[in-house]
Amino acid sequence: QSALTQPASVSGSPGQSITISCTGTSSDIGSYNYVSWYQQHPGKAPKLMIYAVSNRPSGVSNRFSGSKSGNTASLTISGLQAEDEADYHCASYTSTSLYVFGPGTKVTVL
Amino acid sequence: EVQLVQSGAEVKKPGESLRISCMGSGYSFTGYWIAWVRQMPGKGLQCVGVIYPGDSGTTYSPSFQGRVTLSVDKSISTAYLQWGSLNASDTAIYYCARRYMNAFDLWGQGTVVSVSS
């Protein structure tokens, strides 16, 4: 199973909105509404931000939102804040009953 | 508190065996799948495999099949990831994570595994 594709980096100024894309195939993102997104600060474990394409776990800010179209999913962070600077990983359930991740996108707050 | 607590960092030589652990607490351990996820230095996340503590059912990623073994001891709410013979390419941080709605909502703190001669 090949990894999902994400941009290496995305940046934005405080208060702006940014969007991170995550492209897969018809064997993963295209076939299942089980895309999830994780935030990872340096030296820390990943934290679930979005599950099932667009659902936020309790406690996650509503500035984070997810969507999907075809084989591509997206994470949007609105009202960018300094604390949002981190790596963001997407993941999808696959036809092999396992999970594939993207390489991660580094978000920089300018 | 709902948490997954992993065993401490390991330093090993190529060819040695290793078992690391992940203990769940604060929730019904047998009711949720547990995944193991590898993060090599400076890289993204990779799913090693998943195990269901209720019946020890497992699914391995093809990249890890035959090289690692997942197991669980329900009596102490602990999942394990085991290698029979390590090599340098196994150097990474390994996380356990609880599966919920085909996502991973609870993560352990990670176990650093270093393999070097």
Side-chain angles (χ1 to χ4, degrees), chain A residues 56 60-65 78:
Chain A
R56 279 187 309 275
V60 172
S61 171
N62 60 8
R63 298 186 297 104
F64 292 84
S65 62
S78 58

Side-chain angles (χ1 to χ4, degrees), chain B residues 33-55:
Chain B
W33 287 79
I34 291 288
W36 286 93
V37 178
R38 180 175 81 174
Q39 187 167 37
M40 299 177 78
K43 301 296 185 181
L45 305 171
Q46 292 177 279
C47 182
V48 174
V50 294
I51 185 165
Y52 186 63
D55 62 6

